[in-house]
Amino acid sequence: MPKLLLKFNAAVIKEIVFDKPSFSVGRKPDNDIVIDNPAVSGHHCKLANIGDTYFVEDLESTNGTYVNQKRVMKAGLHHNDVVTIARHSIVFLEDAPPPGADKTMVLPPAAVEALAASPGPSPALEIVAAAAELDSAPPAAASEPAAGAPAMESAPAVSPDKTLPPAASPQRTLPPEPVPPAAATTTARLRVLKGAVSQPEFELKGTSTYIGKSDRAQVPIQGSGIFKSAPEVAASIHRKGENYTLMAIKDGYPKVNGADVTGQVPLKDGDIIVCGGTTLQFCVQKT
């Protein structure tokens, strides 16, 4: 289950388990997370989840809500994202272990022998080293032959100035490991079908892409009606793994395949998105 770390500057004030659908944040005592600071609005923002998606939404605060130092109205949250509210911050921590965690590798016997032949000590070869010590231990002294028994011929003595050549060890060749096929890479684009503002196509590069009339939106749109009005940020598209989701910043304003969007809706290749006077097509390509 995800956690929230409430911090003031670098100090952690409180650790909160994300165990309910939403948390309100603000200066007033009726909030789930109370921040007693005059720069924080009474009801500043809320953190919530819908399905497997977690997000933060600004509640028309005076000084704004920031995610990773970028001011947002509504944005998805990912592991280690930092939500900044005045001089306080909330760190979002997912419960899944980060990629690249340490894993134990089980080696086949042939690989162990290859490692044993390599220079330098290796903690993984302690068993091999112990076996080598047993093999190199001097043999027990032979008992005197019984009377009347034929004497055994002794091996010729080796001069101390001569060194015996090392015994040849059988050469073993490790079988080549199979090369896994390259994983397919998914890229997504928004193709402008109607109402182009700056360019005919937009590649969705980051984990979050914003659509709106604001200069900060990555995908600009035209307004509708007599005054060509449109929200500063109408919607956002979030990527999680190979899946894409459209989230309505202004509920009911964006349409996907003719249906008004409230909350969020998953996107699939070929979906038609309408925001104001601009019509977009969502396109997915695997390379």
Side-chain angles (χ1 to χ4, degrees):
M1 186 172 293
K3 297 180 182 178
L4 303 172
L5 295 183
L6 177 61
K7 302 175 67 176
F8 179 72
N9 292 335
V12 177
I13 302 173
K14 190 177 183 181
E15 181 177 309
I16 305 158
V17 178
F18 210 129
D19 56 358
K20 60 180 186 176
S22 66
F23 287 84
S24 60
V25 183
R27 192 181 67 255
K28 293 185 177 181
D30 60 345
N31 288 284
D32 298 306
I33 302 176
V34 179
I35 301 178
D36 188 11
N37 188 305
V40 178
S41 297
H43 296 96
H44 197 100
C45 66
K46 74 173 181 178
L47 297 96
N49 76 302
I50 301 176
D52 294 332
T53 302
Y54 292 83
F55 63 92
V56 59
E57 180 179 0
D58 185 79
L59 301 178
E60 298 182 359
S61 63
T62 302
N63 293 316
T65 302
Y66 295 78
V67 174
N68 300 332
Q69 300 182 350
K70 180 179 180 180
R71 186 166 184 170
V72 300
M73 295 179 64
K74 192 173 185 179
L77 293 176
H78 307 280
H79 182 64
N80 268 340
D81 278 351
V82 179
V83 180
T84 303
I85 304 168
R87 297 183 64 183
H88 288 71
S89 61
I90 298 175
V91 183
F92 177 77
L93 299 176
E94 290 184 320
D95 54 353
D102 186 26
K103 297 181 179 178
T104 301
M105 179 184 294
V106 179
L107 298 176
V112 172
E113 292 180 13
L115 286 175
S118 63
S122 173
L125 300 178
E126 292 178 356
I127 297 176
V128 177
E133 289 180 4
L134 292 176
D135 292 340
S136 62
S143 60
E144 293 292 334
M152 297 181 65
E153 295 184 359
S154 60
V158 179
S159 175
D161 60 348
K162 293 183 178 180
T163 304
L164 289 177
S169 59
Q171 298 293 326
R172 294 191 182 184
T173 303
L174 294 177
E177 295 184 0
V179 179
T185 302
T186 301
T187 58
R189 300 174 182 273
L190 289 178
R191 184 175 296 124
V192 181
L193 304 180
K194 177 184 176 183
V197 174
S198 59
Q199 60 193 61
E201 193 173 78
F202 299 89
E203 183 177 357
L204 307 182
K205 296 181 179 180
T207 56
S208 299
T209 302
Y210 293 90
I211 305 171
K213 201 171 183 179
S214 170
D215 294 337
R216 299 192 301 270
Q218 292 94 332
V219 181
I221 61 173
Q222 288 185 359
S224 57
I226 300 176
F227 301 102
K228 300 294 182 182
S229 60
E232 291 293 300
V233 181
S236 58
I237 295 177
H238 303 279
R239 175 174 182 170
K240 190 171 184 179
E242 300 298 313
N243 301 316
Y244 290 83
T245 302
L246 182 137
M247 181 179 295
I249 303 298
K250 183 178 180 181
D251 287 339
Y253 188 85
K255 301 177 186 293
V256 174
N257 299 329
D260 296 345
V261 177
T262 299
Q264 65 177 6
V265 62
L267 292 175
K268 59 183 183 297
D269 186 36
D271 281 349
I272 302 298
I273 303 168
V274 177
C275 286
T278 300
T279 302
L280 308 163
Q281 184 179 28
F282 177 73
C283 304
V284 177
Q285 181 180 5
K286 290 189 176 182
T287 57

